[in-house]
């Protein structure tokens, strides 16, 4: 049996969307609809709200090793992670000039300060720092976050977006629910049969979806799920099942992901492109839809180094994911100089060791194309897992 | 060619305010060391956004981990502590305050005075102006079995405090922080007592602002970066709201007034600076491991810091804010929201530009520390903007807070010398 050619075509399209720094699909959408497009940085923004106002949310995750940084380096010292400099580069070289606004969620001081730089460098854009709460009580953090969202809706409307309408928001929530459900299915399928959903491929599909309207991203996910489910040409290999954590903001290159896979790892869970999974289950459609978004953020978001753990034990969530996903080992894979990931890591390592999971750690930069050391490290790690699990 | 300046070594007689501050600190650490016996309650909390008056009203003693970290550096201990933390798996990339603190804790928790610090009865995480604080407290929480109160202070991204931000902080104070303090101390919240403390804070703040603004004089009677580290000590740490702090700032103000009357420059580690050659505004925290050596590089060139943003990390008072006893919790909220690292980048640029102009500075200098993304991310942009707006040349050096591996004395000295040379050449009538 040979592979369905539609799968290769879909992956090829995803790859092109992922590599298109100039966001042609967004430009086309704007030309078609006349709507506003607003970029957002990792990890989470309430895309439903933007969609309900007719705005296209566009996920940005920095650059890759093929982006030449000409101006961006002049803005950052060597000891700051790479994603802000590639983002500035893309802003200054005109790649992002189709965007009418940018949202900077509160995940770390680098993104926070970048929001201020953006205000000054691109004065024509709507620039908002989305200060998500670290208090998760509905009448405290919830109330604050609701104010934040309502202000965002007003700001968008002032720029020409449709005013926020409850029914439109309910409809948008239902569309994103379906979008996220499909991603959950893809993750579940990869957990069961990782050979069917290679991570480098899934990753490309997730990245491509960031620049598409939800209606199209849902179609992309659905088709991809269908095609990989029925592709019997992909056969299992003797690989170690690992959970990869720490890459929630700056992303490793596809080359690095492939390297890990070739070194003998099946990545059965990861932190990539978390926007598709950050809210973990369906958001209710009935009732007050803004409040539903607020409550989902407060109570149903993924554990993240960028979120305060108010109750419970640090690392519990990672362990749960590892156990549910059948991971045999943990790869800590953080961007160099990523404060949230690296400050979190010792606590997570402790949790992982308590539970007896083998682990290894390395750092990357989005622009790095050299993986020799990581290949050897991951290869040794995978071999040791296979050795022990077979013992 | 620059001419080397020498401060006149005097038979260094400590000012009364210095003696008073030293005694205040010693008493505080004695009380902390004795706390396990006396039963006094202690809280670990941070400098920016500290709630000292509220803590005082509960008679609970603060321990400030950043202060311990910088003191460890000044005592030459931080390298060892950082190494302990890195061996335990803490990344070389992250804030060295955190690692120095964790290393100190793992090495017996001996504080700056050589006495053991007590374990906390409460961890009060005021998340103001720096994301790392949150992680730091998650790390500390794993070490201590005590209640944690978390206060999330929103960021002034658009350069202003909104009603929603203020209400969020006040409601957290009421519903999250105060109940934990009540529970830990067994005392009820006493708003009258809090008001008394806040009134004392405002009094001391008036005097502090007067002292900081005294640098508008030529010559400046103070160094507003290196010297200011000592001046802001009491108000940034455990003493704001105490009668001791009021007395300290009154005394300090009188001493500075006298220096102005006598036309004296600032006190430096080598005595009084005789000739003020350069007036500089400084952005960014100092290096602590080579603090005196670093300061001396300025003194040697006759450079005086006339304003600094570091002297605002524990509160920005010179733009008008004062703690206000008539609105106790709202005023605490405004204080937390207004700390320097909680200001947007455009607001920081505005403030620096203002300083350059108002303090008649010849230039401004950024000390970019590797540890601190809150301060450092965006500083190269700040450099260009402040240069463009103020018309004064900016300098840029890199070091770290408490990790001696990142203080390259020769390199920094070279850069400073070239910078001051450039300032000299740009002076009206200077060599072009
Ligand atoms: S990679 Fe880490 S430190 Fe850098 S912007 Fe992202 S979250 Fe912040
Ligand atoms: S990152 Fe900066 S503000 Fe935060 S704890 Fe470290 S030195 Fe302080």
């Amino acid at each position: 049996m040979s592979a369905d050619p539609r799968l290769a075509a879909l992956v090829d399209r995803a790859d092109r969307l992922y590599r298109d720094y100039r966001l042609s699909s967004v430009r086309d959408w704007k030309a078609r609809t006349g709507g506003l497009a607003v970029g957002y940085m990792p990890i989470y923004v309430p895309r439903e709200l933007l969609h309900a106002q007719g705005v296209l949310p566009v996920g940005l995750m920095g650059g890759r090793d093929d982006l030449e940084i000409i101006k961006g380096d002049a803005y950052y010292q060597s000891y700051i992670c790479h994603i802000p400099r590639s983002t500035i580069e893309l802003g200054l070289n005109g790649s992002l000039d189709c965007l009418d606004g940018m949202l900077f969620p509160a995940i770390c001081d680098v993104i926070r300060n970048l929001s201020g730089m953006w205000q000054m460098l691109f004065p024509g854009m709507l620039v908002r720092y989305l200060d998500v709460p670290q208090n998760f009580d509905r009448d405290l953090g919830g109330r604050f976050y609701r104010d934040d969202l309502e202000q965002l809706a007003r700001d968008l409307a002032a720029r020409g977006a449709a005013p926020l309408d409850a029914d439109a928001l309910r409809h948008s929530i239902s569309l994103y629910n379906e979008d996220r459900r499909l991603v959950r299915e893809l993750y579940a399928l990869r957990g069961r049969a990782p050979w069917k959903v290679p991570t480098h491929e899934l990753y490309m599909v997730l990245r491509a979806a960031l620049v598409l309207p939800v209606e199209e991203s849902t179609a992309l996910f659905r088709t991809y799920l269908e095609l990989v489910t029925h592709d019997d040409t992909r056969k299992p290999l003797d690989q170690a099942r690992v959970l990869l954590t720490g890459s929630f903001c700056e992303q490793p290159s596809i080359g690095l992901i492939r390297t890990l896979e070739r070194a003998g790892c099946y990545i059965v869970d990861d932190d990539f492109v978390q926007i598709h999974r950050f809210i973990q289950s369906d958001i209710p459609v009935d009732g007050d839809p803004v409040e539903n978004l607020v409550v989902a953020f407060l109570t149903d978001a993924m554990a993240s180094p960028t979120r305060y753990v108010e109750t419970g034990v640090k690392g519990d969530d990672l362990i749960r994911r590892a156990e549910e996903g059948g991971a045999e080992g943990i790869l800590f894979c953080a961007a160099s100089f990523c404060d949230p990931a690296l400050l979190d890591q010792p606590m997570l390592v402790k949790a992982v060791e308590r539970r007896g999971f083998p682990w290894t750690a390395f750092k990357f930069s989005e622009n790095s194309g050299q993986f020799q050391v990581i290949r050897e490290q991951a290869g040794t790690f995978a071999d040791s897992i296979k050795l022990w699990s077979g013992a | 060619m620059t001419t080397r300046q020498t401060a006149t070594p005097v038979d260094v007689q400590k000012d009364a305010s210095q003696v008073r501050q030293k005694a205040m600190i010693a008493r505080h650490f004695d009380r902390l060391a004795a706390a396990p016996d006396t039963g006094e309650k202690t809280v670990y909390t941070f400098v920016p956004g500290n709630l000292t008056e509220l803590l005082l009203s509960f008679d609970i003693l603060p321990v400030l981990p950043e202060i311990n970290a910088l003191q460890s550096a000044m005592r030459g201990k931080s390298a060892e502590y950082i190494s302990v933390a890195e061996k335990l798996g803490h990344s070389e990339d992250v804030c060295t305050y955190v690692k120095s603190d964790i290393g100190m804790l793992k090495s017996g928790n001996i504080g700056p005075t050589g006495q053991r610090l007590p374990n906390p009865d409460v961890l009060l995480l005021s998340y103001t102006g720096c994301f790392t604080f949150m992680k730091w407290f998650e790390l500390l929480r794993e070490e201590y079995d005590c209640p944690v109160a978390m206060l999330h202070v929103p960021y002034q991204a658009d350069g202003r405090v909104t009603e929603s931000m203020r209400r969020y902080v006040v409601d957290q104070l009421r519903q999250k922080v105060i109940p934990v303090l009540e529970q830990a101390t067994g005392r009820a919240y006493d708003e009258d007592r809090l008001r008394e403390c806040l009134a004392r804070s405002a009094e001391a703040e008036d005097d502090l602002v007067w002292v900081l603004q005294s640098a508008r004089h030529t010559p400046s009677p103070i160094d507003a970066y290196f010297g200011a580290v000592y001046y802001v000590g009491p108000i940034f740490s455990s003493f704001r709201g105490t009668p001791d702090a009021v007395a300290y700032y009154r005394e300090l103000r009188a001493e500075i007034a006298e220096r102005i009357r006598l036309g004296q420059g600032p006190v430096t580690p080598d005595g009084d600076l005789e000739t003020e050659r350069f007036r500089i505004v400084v952005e960014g925290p100092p290096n602590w491991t080579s603090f005196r050596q670093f300061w001396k590089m300025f003194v040697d060139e006759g450079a005086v810091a006339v304003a600094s943003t570091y002297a605002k990390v524990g509160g920005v008072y010179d733009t008008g804010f004062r703690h206000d006893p008539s609105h106790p919790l709202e005023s605490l909220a405004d204080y937390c929201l207004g700390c320097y690292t909680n200001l947007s980048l455009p607001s920081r640029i505005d403030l620096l530009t203002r300083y350059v102009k108002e303090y008649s500075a010849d230039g401004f200098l950024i000390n970019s520390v590797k540890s601190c993304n809150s301060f450092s991310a965006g500083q190269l942009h700040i450099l260009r903007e402040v240069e463009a707006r103020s018309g004064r040349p900016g300098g840029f050096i890199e070091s770290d807070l408490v990790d001696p591996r990142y203080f390259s004395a020769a390199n920094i000295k070279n850069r400073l010398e070239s910078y001051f040379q450039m300032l000299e050449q740009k002076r009206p009538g200077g060599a072009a």
Side-chain angles (χ1 to χ4, degrees), chain B residues 350-368:
Chain B
D350 287 346
L351 192 67
L352 275 160
T353 308
R354 232 178 90 178
Y355 284 162
V356 172
K357 291 185 177 158
E358 288 179 3
Y359 288 80
S360 315
D362 300 301
F364 67 96
L365 193 77
I366 297 179
N367 180 36
S368 181

Side-chain angles (χ1 to χ4, degrees), chain B residues 205-217 220-225 227-232 235-236 249 252-253 256 279 305-308 310-312 315-318 355 359:
Chain B
E205 287 155 7
D206 279 343
D207 286 335
L208 170 70
V209 170
W210 187 94
V211 167
L212 294 175
Q213 292 182 340
S214 71
R216 288 177 177 163
H217 283 87
S220 169
I222 63 164
D223 183 284
Y225 183 54
V229 161
Y230 298 98
Y231 305 148
V232 296
I235 216 155
F236 279 12
Y249 285 102
L252 178 66
R253 178 174 174 162
I256 304 298
R279 297 170 63 82
V306 287
S308 74
Y310 183 70
K312 316 294 156 30
V316 178
Y317 298 108
D318 56 351
Y355 284 162
Y359 288 80

Side-chain angles (χ1 to χ4, degrees), chain A residues 81 83-84 107-108 110-111 248-250 306 335 337-340, chain B residues 373:
Chain A
C81 58
I83 185 171
I107 62 166
C108 75
V110 174
I111 296 285
F248 46 85
C249 177
E250 184 171 323
T306 65
F337 304 107
C338 177
D339 277 353
Chain B
N373 280 346

Side-chain angles (χ1 to χ4, degrees), chain A residues 26-81:
Chain A
V26 176
R27 290 170 199 273
D28 292 348
W29 180 88
K30 284 187 69 167
R32 246 182 7 251
T33 64
L36 300 177
V38 170
Y40 62 87
M41 296 298 290
I43 303 172
Y44 170 78
V45 299
R47 294 177 297 175
E48 296 84 345
L49 187 124
L50 276 70
H51 180 267
Q53 294 187 259
V55 175
L56 177 67
V58 180
L60 302 175
M61 302 200 87
R64 300 179 303 270
D65 54 345
D66 59 356
L67 179 69
E68 195 186 350
I69 304 289
I70 298 163
K71 296 183 176 151
D73 279 340
Y75 286 84
Y76 287 100
Q77 302 88 318
S78 56
Y79 48 79
I80 289 174
C81 58

Side-chain angles (χ1 to χ4, degrees), chain A residues 85-105:
Chain A
R85 61 192 87 216
S86 55
T87 306
I88 288 265
E89 186 70 34
L90 292 169
L92 293 177
N93 74 14
S95 298
L96 309 180
D97 60 8
C98 57
L99 299 179
D100 302 283
M102 275 286 276
L103 302 181
F104 296 87

Side-chain angles (χ1 to χ4, degrees), chain B residues 274-295:
Chain B
E274 288 198 331
T275 313
E276 176 187 281
R277 294 184 60 232
F278 302 107
R279 297 170 63 82
I280 307 295
V281 170
V282 185
E283 145 79 10
N287 163 272
W288 301 109
T289 47
S290 305
F291 184 78
R292 284 185 162 238
Q293 190 184 3
F294 192 24
W295 189 352

Side-chain angles (χ1 to χ4, degrees), chain B residues 95 97 130 132-133 136 371-374 401:
Chain B
C95 172
Y97 270 178
C130 163
T132 296
F133 285 148
W136 195 343
S371 274
C372 184
N373 280 346
S374 177
L401 297 163

